């Protein structure tokens, strides 16, 4: 059982012991109630202190137990809290470091709470599509007041204990300890001081009201509705808290439980829980154990101060790591620095960055034209032109100059990392770090593992990714890695849809209604249609039999590269970004259809969405089968964090799982009958066909 029992004179100490964060799984729950009983049975014990060992008071429920019999097996969390609340001897929660979710609900069941400063306090259930389910929505408003409590519950954000302890009239903490170190002594002394106090204070007995009543909740509901978009949980938080102001405590608890259970089975909750697990799983690499030693990264060099080099540098500056940028010419460096300054200054203007932090970051940035000046950097990231010849020269130079043990990374988006590694005598130190544009904003980092990349290099890059707040996903070497390889099929399919009868705006509207931030044609206009044009010129020389719609090439031949040229798939008014449907483009597509002899047909939004999403799913199945991505959840992470796939759907793989792989395959077979579509396109990847036939899923769905 995961809780220890000890005594200090007449005070019992129950200490949860379930590393890393004292999750409230069955063994911790059993541990608490058994230890409590021991304290109650011992006549010499006057009061009890409940705390957590190690890195947390408690991080909350064990989400791995959700949906399993263990989650509801007695004692469940509600009954543990009830046991504490009904204890005839006072129970004092000694809270430190982290009290989140069920951990905070547990503390709220105690008669008194004492917190160490610096502890993170939160009810973050909303982030996995739920509401607190063990009294949080009923007890927190009683100790903090309805409004601050609802803000915490709806946002799920953590607030520091000292900040909460300073709120006027708050009853969350009876005392703030002087320090983490003194917490236990102070808690034991506090327990002794209240040992004889009766009746014991219980949070449930406190009043729960908002002075503006209904008007406040109406306002709160409007605010939350605007922000929560595709997710049902935030509004349910409002419902639960409001009910708490109107119902007797126990009825409020039952109501909270019903709302909680109702959310647990929604697709949105499933998607968020999947992504929560996927985020953690992405950092685990099967053959690179967690305890693999990492190399120290105290300084970074970036080669190339262009679009990517500048953004990449900012990530490290933001994390307090010095960066030296290297270019061929001084004016390129000057331009790079000016862009970084401009980006930071915009943040200062918006109040998102203090002048002091801006100055600190810029002070960490230096430049050079000489490789000698970067030789001692621990990590060098190359972001020069996308040409193998240029990369070859850079990596030969790096091999000659960089100190032994330095990690040599390339930000290439399409080139073979194994070939790049072969330009050096130390391929084990070479790795791909594929950032996304704008590199200082986008969360995704594809870490490209070359054939010879050393395990400690991978472990180091994964750990530095965390430091610079990126979601790192490991990809094997192939053209396009995980994400760009998927989007290529999606773009091809979007082109076929135009040929058959859609307008760009129909396609965009349908997929945006599905939840994508931007449809493929608006996206093309934003990123620049010429980029795809250049890639296609190369790709379809290599693969002349691969069919694709020429409409995108015709568009580029008209000079319509997108927003940067004032027109693309859409028209744009000067200085504005609103996409206006274009008669010129409609005509171009109509003329092209004539050359193909196609009579346009009306295509439903459902078909548009399925064709686009299943094109991603099928390519992902190939990617998984080839071992380019190790796990289906990695694919979902890539597409959610880098390509705007709707979060509430959990990523293309989870979406396919929930649609049913059998249904996906059948739908693809139907698409393959369409004489205008490319029948080969819809041949199910062997992995997809196999899983569908066996009634299995891509993800081991949580
Ligand atoms: P860019 O053209 O904006 O910048 C490249 C910079 O490298 C220029 O400032 C150039 O002066 C410098 N450079 C060229 N040869 C050099 C050399 N031998 N030594 C030192 N500096 C040299 O290009 P961008 O967009 O920043 O792309 C850089 C790399 O990042 C490419 O490999 C590209 O495929 C990759 N990438 C680009 C993305 C994008 O959206 N732009 C996204 C992800 C990766």
């Amino acid at each position: 059982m995961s809780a220890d029992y000890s005594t200090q004179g007449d005070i019992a100490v129950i200490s949860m012991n379930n590393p890393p964060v004292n999750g409230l799984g069955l063994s911790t729950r059993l541990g608490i109630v058994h230890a409590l009983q021991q304290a109650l049975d011992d006549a010499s014990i006057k009061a009890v202190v409940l705390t957590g060992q190690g890195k947390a008071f408690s991080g909350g429920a064990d989400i791995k137990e959700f949906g399993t019999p263990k989650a509801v097996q007695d004692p469940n969390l509600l009954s543990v809290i009830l046991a504490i609340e009904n204890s005839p001897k006072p129970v004092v929660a000694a809270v430190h470091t982290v009290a989140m979710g069920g951990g905070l609900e547990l503390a709220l069941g105690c008669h008194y709470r004492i917190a160490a400063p610096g502890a993170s306090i939160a009810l973050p259930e909303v982030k996995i599509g739920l509401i607190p389910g063990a009294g949080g929505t009923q007890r927190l408003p009683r100790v903090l007041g309805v409004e601050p409590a609802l803000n915490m519950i709806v946002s799920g954000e953590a607030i520091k204990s000292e900040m909460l302890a300073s709120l006027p009239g708050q009853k969350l903490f009876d005392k703030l300890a002087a320090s983490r170190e003194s917490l236990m002594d102070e808690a034991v002394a506090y327990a002794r001081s209240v040992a004889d106090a009766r009746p014991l204070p219980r949070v449930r007995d406190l009043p729960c009201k908002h002075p503006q009543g209904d008007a406040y909740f109406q306002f709160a509901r409007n605010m939350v509705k605007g922000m929560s978009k595709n997710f049902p949980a935030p509004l349910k938080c409002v419902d639960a808290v409001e009910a708490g102001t109107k119902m007797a405590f126990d009825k409020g608890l039952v109501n909270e439980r019903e709302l909680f259970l109702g959310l647990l089975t929604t697709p949105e909750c499933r998607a968020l829980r999947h992504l929560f697990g996927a985020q953690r799983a992405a950092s685990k690499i099967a053959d690179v154990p967690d305890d693999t030693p990492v190399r120290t990264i105290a300084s970074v060099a970036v080669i190339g101060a262009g679009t990517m080099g500048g953004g990449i540098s900012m990530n490290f500056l933001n994390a307090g790591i010095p960066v030296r940028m290297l270019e061929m010419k001084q004016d390129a460096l000057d331009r790079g620095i000016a862009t970084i300054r401009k980006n930071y200054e915009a943040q200062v203007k918006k109040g998102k960055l203090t002048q002091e932090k801006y100055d600190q970051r810029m002070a960490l940035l230096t430049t050079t034209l000489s490789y000698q000046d970067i030789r001692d950097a621990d990590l060098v990231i190359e972001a020069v032109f996308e040409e193998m010849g240029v990369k070859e020269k850079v990596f030969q130079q790096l091999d000659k100059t960089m100190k032994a043990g330095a990690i040599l990374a390339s930000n290439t988006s399409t080139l073979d990392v194994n070939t790049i590694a072969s330009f050096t005598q130390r391929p084990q130190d070479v790795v791909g770090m594929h950032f996304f544009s704008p590199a200082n904003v986008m969360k995704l980092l594809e870490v490209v593992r070359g054939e010879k990349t050393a395990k400690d290099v991978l472990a180091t890059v994964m750990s530095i990714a965390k430091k610079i707040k990126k979601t790192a996903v490991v990809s094997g070497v192939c053209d396009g890695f995980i994400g760009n390889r998927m989007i290529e099929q999606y773009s091809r399919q979007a082109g076929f849809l135009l040929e058959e009868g859609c307008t760009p705006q129909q396609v965009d509207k349908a997929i945006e209604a599905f939840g994508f931030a931007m449809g493929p044609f608006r996206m093309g206009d934003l990123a620049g249609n010429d980029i795809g044009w250049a890639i296609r010129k190369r790709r379809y020389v290599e693969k002349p039999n691969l069919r694709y719609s020429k409409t995108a090439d015709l568009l580029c031949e008209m000079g319509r590269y997108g927003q940067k040229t004032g027109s693309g798939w859409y028209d744009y008014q000067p200085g504005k970004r609103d996409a206006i449907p274009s008669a010129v483009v409609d005509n171009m597509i109509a003329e092209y259809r004539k050359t193909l002899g196609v009579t346009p047909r009306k295509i439903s939004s459902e078909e548009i969405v399925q064709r686009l999403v299943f094109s991603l799913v099928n390519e992902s199945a190939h990617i998984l089968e080839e071992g380019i991505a190790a796990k289906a959840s990695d694919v979902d992470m890539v597409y959610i964090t880098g390509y705007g796939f709707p979060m509430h759907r959990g990523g293309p793989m989870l979406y396919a799982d929930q649609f049913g792989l059998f249904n996906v395959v059948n739908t693809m077979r139907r698409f393959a009958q369409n004489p205008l579509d490319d029948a080969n396109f819809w041949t199910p990847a062997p992995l997809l066909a196999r899983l569908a036939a066996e009634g299995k899923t891509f993800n081991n769905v949580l």
Side-chain angles (χ1 to χ4, degrees):
M1 276 181 290
S2 309
D4 298 340
Y5 181 83
S6 63
T7 54
Q8 294 190 28
D10 53 358
I11 305 299
V13 176
I14 302 172
S15 196
M16 292 176 271
N17 184 11
N18 184 15
V21 292
N22 297 319
L24 293 163
L26 180 61
S27 76
T28 313
R29 303 195 304 266
L30 276 170
I32 296 171
V33 289
H34 281 242
L36 180 65
Q37 197 54 47
Q38 198 172 343
L40 297 182
D41 290 345
D42 184 342
S44 68
I45 294 298
K46 292 268 170 23
V48 179
V49 172
L50 173 66
T51 192
Q53 293 183 29
K55 286 198 285 190
F57 172 77
S58 169
D62 184 346
I63 77 159
K64 286 196 288 312
E65 275 191 3
F66 281 174
T68 71
K70 270 190 176 178
V72 285
Q73 199 169 323
D74 275 337
N76 63 35
L77 186 53
L78 278 165
S79 53
V80 174
I81 293 171
L82 209 61
I84 292 173
E85 197 171 49
N86 289 335
S87 156
K89 298 180 185 179
V91 182
V92 179
V95 172
H96 66 87
T97 326
V98 169
M100 292 203 185
L104 178 54
E105 291 174 306
L106 183 67
L108 285 166
C110 296
H111 304 111
Y112 304 94
R113 285 158 297 280
I114 166 165
S120 294
I121 311 295
L123 288 175
E125 286 80 354
V126 75
K127 294 192 173 179
I128 49 167
L130 291 169
I131 64 168
T137 66
Q138 305 303 297
R139 289 194 178 88
L140 196 65
R142 285 176 159 80
V143 293
L144 277 190
V146 167
E147 211 164 318
L150 185 58
N151 287 342
M152 274 182 81
I153 295 168
V154 164
S155 72
E157 294 299 327
I159 303 190
K160 291 290 176 208
S161 47
E162 60 273 24
M163 160 69 198
L164 290 167
S166 72
L167 290 179
Q170 67 84 24
K171 294 192 169 64
L172 175 56
F173 296 123
D174 298 279
K175 190 170 182 223
L176 192 66
S179 67
R180 162 80 180 95
E181 289 69 35
S182 67
L183 173 70
M184 279 315 289
D185 287 346
E186 291 190 56
V188 169
Y190 193 85
R192 206 160 273 139
S193 75
V194 295
D196 297 323
R198 295 294 182 281
L200 289 171
R202 302 185 310 174
V203 173
R204 65 160 59 220
D205 299 327
L206 296 169
C208 186
K209 283 269 166 290
H210 190 282
Q212 269 89 46
D214 288 350
Y216 165 72
F217 284 105
Q218 191 52 48
F219 159 80
R221 205 164 264 116
N222 289 342
M223 291 285 288
V224 171
K225 205 174 187 173
M227 284 166 3
S228 56
K229 290 193 187 117
N230 296 311
F231 294 97
L235 273 174
K236 300 287 178 198
C237 294
V238 183
D239 292 349
V241 171
E242 182 178 22
T245 65
K246 296 187 169 156
M247 293 176 179
F249 183 84
D250 283 320
K251 283 212 167 127
L253 266 191
V254 171
N255 180 65
E256 176 194 84
R257 196 72 198 155
E258 278 167 4
L259 292 172
F260 174 89
L261 291 174
L263 286 166
L264 199 54
T265 48
T266 58
E268 293 83 4
C269 174
R270 209 161 162 189
L272 288 178
R273 281 190 287 138
H274 168 66
L275 293 174
F276 183 84
Q279 174 97 37
R280 276 151 189 77
S283 63
K284 307 245 178 259
I285 310 170
D287 63 337
V288 181
D290 283 348
D291 57 0
T292 304
V294 294
R295 302 185 190 181
T296 305
I297 305 293
S299 63
V300 172
V302 173
I303 317 289
T307 312
M308 294 306 288
I312 292 169
S313 300
M314 287 175 74
N315 289 307
F316 292 96
L317 300 174
N318 298 349
I321 300 171
V323 177
R324 180 158 284 187
M325 290 200 302
L326 181 145
E327 266 282 356
M328 291 178 300
K329 293 203 177 106
Q330 187 59 42
D331 61 341
L333 281 176
D334 295 342
R335 269 198 310 275
I337 296 264
T339 309
I340 293 179
R341 271 195 189 288
K342 210 175 82 198
N343 279 335
Y344 277 139
E345 275 161 12
Q347 289 180 24
V348 173
K349 254 192 210 141
K350 284 187 201 148
K352 288 187 177 163
L353 185 73
T354 61
Q355 183 67 36
E356 190 191 354
K357 283 225 165 105
Y358 166 43
D359 294 339
Q360 279 167 5
R361 288 176 191 183
M362 288 311 291
L364 290 171
L365 179 63
T366 52
T367 60
T368 184
L369 298 172
S370 158
Y371 278 85
Q372 280 311 315
D373 292 338
I374 61 163
R375 68 172 308 280
D376 289 325
D378 299 311
L379 165 68
V380 47
I381 303 173
E382 164 279 310
V384 303
F385 300 138
E386 186 74 342
E387 284 169 35
M388 198 54 110
V390 184
K391 308 267 189 209
E392 179 172 7
K393 288 207 183 82
V394 169
F395 273 82
Q396 282 170 346
Q397 192 64 48
L398 290 175
D399 194 27
K400 251 190 259 160
T401 28
M402 297 307 292
K403 70 174 182 189
I407 294 177
L408 315 182
S410 172
N411 180 48
T412 181
S413 39
T414 53
L415 300 176
D416 186 328
V417 172
N418 293 328
T419 309
I420 293 176
S422 75
F423 301 139
T424 73
Q425 303 298 311
R426 37 175 139 173
Q428 73 281 2
D429 293 336
V430 177
V431 66
M433 286 178 80
H434 184 214
F435 288 85
F436 288 72
S437 184
N440 53 319
V441 176
M442 294 293 287
K443 279 267 157 257
L444 179 61
L445 173 67
E446 283 181 327
V447 174
V448 186
R449 179 179 192 168
E451 260 165 29
K452 297 191 175 151
T453 306
K455 289 184 182 177
D456 68 332
V457 167
L458 270 179
T460 307
V461 171
M462 296 307 277
S463 122
I464 197 80
K466 222 178 246 171
K467 249 187 217 149
I468 61 171
K469 301 201 170 88
K470 297 290 173 197
T471 300
V473 177
V474 177
S475 169
V477 176
C478 70
D479 200 339
F481 312 128
I482 300 173
N484 283 347
R485 187 167 151 182
M486 288 165 70
I487 204 174
E488 188 173 337
Q489 301 312 321
Y490 170 91
S491 305
R492 274 180 75 204
Q493 196 50 231
F496 296 148
L497 285 165
L498 294 188
E499 285 183 358
E500 287 176 43
C502 285
T503 60
Q505 56 273 22
Q506 259 173 338
V507 176
D508 284 349
K509 256 198 174 154
I511 199 77
E512 286 163 14
F514 175 77
F516 266 84
M518 221 182 258
F521 298 109
R522 283 214 295 141
M523 192 66 204
D525 278 0
L526 180 70
N529 296 308
D530 50 322
I531 297 180
W533 196 26
I535 294 174
R536 283 193 301 279
K537 280 182 191 158
R538 181 163 58 85
R539 177 81 79 256
Y540 295 103
V541 169
E542 289 162 12
K543 298 180 186 167
N545 296 326
L546 200 61
R547 203 170 89 67
Y548 76 97
S549 168
K550 304 282 186 303
T551 45
D553 296 350
L554 295 173
L555 187 82
C556 289
E557 282 167 23
M558 294 158 82
R560 299 181 69 106
Y561 290 175
Q563 289 188 17
K564 62 183 170 188
T565 56
S567 67
W569 293 106
Y570 296 90
D571 292 332
Y572 296 90
Q573 284 173 349
K576 293 203 175 149
R577 286 168 177 268
D578 307 295
I580 304 163
S582 164
V584 177
V585 171
D586 288 347
N587 259 339
M588 177 272 282
I589 298 171
E591 287 302 314
Y592 182 64
R593 283 188 200 121
K594 276 188 204 156
T595 66
L596 297 178
V598 171
T599 311
R601 72 177 169 101
K602 192 165 168 16
I603 301 179
S604 69
S605 293
E606 188 187 10
E607 181 177 337
I608 294 171
V609 167
Q610 289 180 347
R611 284 171 63 172
L612 291 179
V613 174
F614 295 164
S615 66
L616 295 174
V617 171
N618 202 35
E619 190 61 22
S620 306
H622 284 295
I623 286 172
L624 280 170
E625 193 143 46
E626 291 167 25
I628 298 299
K631 310 179 269 301
S633 63
D634 282 356
V635 172
D636 286 337
M637 275 328 280
V638 165
Y639 231 76
I640 293 253
T641 54
Y643 296 82
F645 196 92
M647 205 184 219
H648 67 285
R649 303 203 187 261
M653 308 312 274
L654 187 78
Y655 180 74
D657 284 347
Q658 296 200 268
F659 195 87
L661 298 190
F662 182 78
N663 294 325
V664 171
V665 167
N666 276 349
T667 311
M668 286 171 58
R669 295 216 164 102
R670 208 178 65 235
F671 293 152
Q673 308 292 316
N674 172 359
L676 294 177
D677 203 334
D678 182 348
N680 291 332
F681 190 103
W682 292 116
T683 306
L687 174 68
L688 174 57
R690 200 167 61 243
L691 292 176
E694 291 170 2
K696 291 189 177 152
T697 59
F698 286 119
N699 284 286
N700 193 1
V701 184
L702 282 170

